[in-house]
Amino acid sequence: MIIPLHPRLTDSELRELEEITVEFGVRIQPIHGHERSVYAILGDETSPDLINRIEGLAYIERVDRIQAPYKLMARESKLSHHRVALGKKVLPGDFCVIAGHCTIDPRQKELFLETAFGVKEAGADMIRGGVWKPRTSPHSFQGDAKSLEILMEARERTGLPINTEVMDFEQLKICVEAKVDCLQIGARSALNYRLLQQVGEMTRNSGILVLLKRSMHMGPVSEFILAAEYIVAQGNPNVMLCPRGTVPTIEGFRSAPDESITMLLKERTWAPVVVDPSHSVGKAVYVPGACLAAAAYGADGILVETHCQPKKGVGDDPKQAVTPEVLARIIRDTRQIHAFARHYAPKAQAS
Ligand code: PEP
Ligand code: MN
């Protein structure tokens, strides 16, 4: 870590800083220029207590970290060669598509099955469908546990793996017992650290994948990566990072589209990035463009809300679901862009 200072620490300030560094087993290397000085702190700087103690000193204005705060998620960690198998695809490397309803309506089972076959024909690798839904209003449809059976029937009949969101321990247990192939941790739950730990614990050695959305309230990219670290630290490295837009929103879009952070995530971690343009832009007409952008930014896949008859859907489907026909074109074109984007990926990411 580097502490820049203008002009330099007094003797007593330096002594106080030295006492802290001794306590944490690191050392200070001062570098004095004409006008300003910098103090390099050498050694393991990952302890948040060390950073907080230094940042808490009245005469320290700024601390620049060199080491990433995450360990297992770092590109150079022992997991750097880990690959995630999603259906027949292996990530990073291949390009995957997860598609299906925002919400499964248990009164319209046939519509979901029609969509499931539609996305399969379009070339999707995994079917998604919301069983339990995090709705802003408690008066909106909250989902229905019965929909899990419909989702499982879709898996059985299409042969494709399935993805659904879990918001609490009860739902997590049900889905692990049902061997749901991929658990989604939504944007609202991405800051629920206890749930992230429970997901890691419950899916350890199970082969179950976890799609972790970026919370709309997350700022620094490291905050998102550290959320994934909670799951991986409990023993499940099969995590995919999913940017889905943040706040404050951009007028006209549902969120502030964040497909571009794919490049930063790919640089800093080994985990595959599967972008969700549907919740980012929030309107069916903008979704194809945002999908193409995600592929150009180097994403390993996309999650696209898709419905065979969006007007008959519930939840987000009437406004942001594309049809399986549009999905087929998106898949054809994003695959090509993914292949082009790989030509520009730094060597470490392309391997
Ligand atoms: C969803 O995928 O339907 C959903 C609710 O997503 P998010 O958590 O990103 O809002
Ligand atoms: Mn949705």
Side-chain angles (χ1 to χ4, degrees):
M1 129 189 32
I2 303 285
I3 304 170
L5 266 184
H6 178 83
R8 63 163 71 186
L9 294 171
T10 64
D11 288 347
S12 68
E13 288 167 350
L14 184 58
R15 261 199 310 281
E16 188 176 23
L17 187 59
E18 269 165 356
E19 277 166 24
I20 297 175
T21 56
V22 167
E23 216 181 291
F24 286 87
V26 292
R27 64 187 179 85
I28 308 179
Q29 175 71 60
I31 304 160
H32 299 300
H34 274 305
E35 308 246 319
R36 33 195 322 250
S37 301
V38 297
Y39 297 81
I41 307 287
L42 308 174
D44 183 2
E45 63 170 61
T46 48
S47 161
D49 293 338
L50 167 64
I51 310 254
N52 289 345
R53 286 277 293 281
I54 296 178
E55 280 183 339
L57 299 172
Y59 43 87
I60 302 289
E61 280 170 25
R62 204 177 97 204
V63 170
D64 296 339
R65 300 175 73 139
I66 296 174
Q67 241 177 324
Y70 34 85
K71 297 179 180 166
L72 297 166
M73 291 297 292
R75 177 154 274 291
E76 45 303 318
S77 88
K78 60 181 184 199
L79 287 167
S80 61
H81 297 293
H82 183 70
R83 294 288 178 273
V84 174
L86 185 149
K88 294 188 178 129
K89 300 290 171 67
V90 177
L91 314 176
D94 296 331
F95 189 75
C96 78
V97 177
I98 304 173
H101 291 193
C102 170
T103 309
I104 302 172
D105 180 353
R107 297 159 309 176
Q108 304 194 82
K109 169 177 152 182
E110 293 311 319
L111 274 187
F112 187 73
L113 294 175
E114 190 183 334
T115 297
F117 280 106
V119 303
K120 180 179 182 179
E121 201 184 316
D125 304 288
M126 180 176 268
I127 298 170
R128 67 154 280 154
V131 173
W132 302 279
K133 295 305 299 180
R135 304 304 302 280
T136 307
S137 164
H139 307 298
S140 306
F141 178 57
Q142 303 286 311
D144 189 326
K146 286 196 225 87
S147 299
L148 185 57
E149 281 164 36
I150 301 175
L151 185 59
M152 286 167 65
E153 182 175 336
R155 167 167 68 182
E156 179 73 28
R157 291 180 52 184
T158 61
L160 286 183
I162 51 174
N163 164 73
T164 201
E165 174 169 356
V166 294
M167 294 181 288
D168 62 32
F169 188 64
E170 204 50 43
Q171 296 167 1
L172 171 62
K173 264 195 343 211
I174 295 171
C175 286
V176 170
E177 269 160 34
K179 296 192 169 50
V180 168
D181 306 275
C182 178
L183 303 179
Q184 178 170 311
I185 305 301
R188 292 154 193 81
S189 301
L191 292 167
N192 181 345
Y193 298 125
R194 184 65 197 125
L195 180 66
L196 298 178
Q197 284 177 326
Q198 289 169 333
V199 168
E201 274 161 29
M202 292 283 291
T203 59
R204 186 185 299 153
N205 301 326
S206 66
I208 293 177
L209 315 185
V210 181
L211 182 84
L212 175 67
K213 298 266 195 119
R214 181 181 186 209
S215 163
M216 56 278 241
H217 302 291
M218 276 178 182
V221 169
S222 61
E223 194 182 356
F224 185 21
I225 299 175
L226 280 166
E229 179 109 353
Y230 269 95
I231 300 167
V232 176
Q234 293 302 324
N236 185 356
N238 294 311
V239 173
M240 297 174 283
L241 299 170
C242 182
R244 51 79 72 208
T246 53
V247 291
T249 58
I250 290 181
E251 203 232 314
F253 293 141
R254 174 174 175 159
S255 312
D258 60 352
E259 290 79 18
S260 63
I261 72 156
T262 300
M263 296 190 286
L264 303 177
L265 293 169
K266 301 286 301 175
E267 191 174 69
R268 295 171 198 190
T269 109
W270 47 265
V273 178
V274 175
V275 174
D276 167 3
S278 301
H279 294 83
S280 148
V281 293
K283 200 166 179 183
V285 69
Y286 305 136
V287 168
C291 289
L292 302 191
Y297 286 127
D300 301 288
I302 44 174
L303 174 148
V304 190
E305 287 190 340
T306 308
H307 198 293
C308 59
Q309 292 188 59
K311 273 188 264 177
K312 292 196 180 161
V314 290
D316 295 329
D317 288 324
K319 64 177 178 206
Q320 69 192 31
V322 299
T323 60
E325 293 71 36
V326 172
L327 181 72
R329 294 209 300 275
I330 291 174
I331 293 179
R332 183 195 63 197
D333 296 340
T334 46
R335 277 196 189 135
Q336 277 200 43
I337 293 176
H338 174 252
F340 293 142
R342 284 176 70 77
H343 298 160
Y344 298 93
K347 263 213 181 79
Q349 293 177 30
S351 60

